[in-house]
Amino acid sequence: AKTGVRGELLLSEGQGGSRACGDPGKGDHLWLAASMGKMFKVYLCGTSIYSCSSCHTHLAKHDQIVSKAFQGRHGRAFLFSNVVNITLGPKEDRILITGLHTVADCYCNCCQAILGWKYVEAFEESQKYKEGKCIIEKARMALDTAGSALDD
């Protein structure tokens, strides 16, 4: 097993559960860091990683952007197909620009900053593609182009 810069055990997703990884500088793998507490933090490998603007915890890879043409509560937002290191709040129905949706607010796992929301259910057929995807406000994330999950 390898350790990260903070002494965390590095694991990757694999068939049959998590397993120890090889060289973190190669490939485009998901890296999980297991600390002594209950929180598990996912480190993403790649050249363009979006992270929480408050604590720089990894959130999503650039290629997981579905659209950059969304509006959040406080300005522009991106729609991502997959976001990691988030906690969801309670589900609630909201009337948004595109109609009624059931959503759950997304919070950063590390600093609990509100990042955006996850679409749980869309009631209009033309909006069903949003289900299961997350909106992250542009002001709440930073783009890391360093290319390594171990640089932070």
Side-chain angles (χ1 to χ4, degrees):
K2 296 199 179 273
T3 56
V5 291
R6 291 186 277 282
E8 300 156 322
L9 177 65
L10 295 179
L11 305 169
S12 76
E13 290 183 344
Q15 293 179 335
S18 295
R19 59 180 172 75
C21 288
D23 184 1
K26 294 181 180 177
D28 197 23
H29 299 32
L30 287 178
W31 292 81
L32 303 177
S35 63
M36 293 302 288
K38 292 182 182 180
M39 186 181 80
F40 290 87
K41 200 172 181 182
V42 178
Y43 291 89
L44 301 171
C45 295
T47 56
S48 297
I49 306 295
Y50 287 94
S51 60
C52 173
S53 62
S54 298
C55 68
H56 298 288
T57 296
H58 289 183
L59 298 172
K61 297 190 295 185
H62 181 75
D63 61 3
Q64 294 170 321
I65 294 174
V66 175
S67 175
K68 293 182 178 183
F70 276 74
Q71 186 68 30
R73 287 186 187 131
H74 304 100
R76 294 200 41 155
F78 294 177
L79 180 68
F80 288 93
S81 59
N82 187 40
V83 179
V84 297
N85 296 319
I86 60 169
T87 304
L88 297 177
K91 297 175 191 176
E92 61 180 68
D93 289 341
R94 286 191 198 148
I95 299 175
L96 302 172
I97 295 170
T98 54
L100 181 64
H101 298 273
T102 301
V103 299
D105 286 334
C106 296
Y107 299 90
C108 176
N109 266 355
C110 283
C111 68
Q112 277 66 53
I114 188 163
L115 301 169
W117 62 83
K118 182 173 186 168
Y119 288 99
V120 177
E121 184 178 4
F123 295 97
E124 294 184 28
E125 195 61 40
S126 65
Q127 301 302 308
K128 293 280 187 188
Y129 76 96
K130 296 177 185 175
E131 291 181 347
K133 296 176 177 64
C134 292
I135 289 285
I136 304 295
E137 294 189 16
K138 193 174 175 185
R140 311 277 182 175
M141 62 183 168
L143 179 60
D144 173 20
T145 57
S148 174
L150 300 179
D151 287 344
D152 49 349

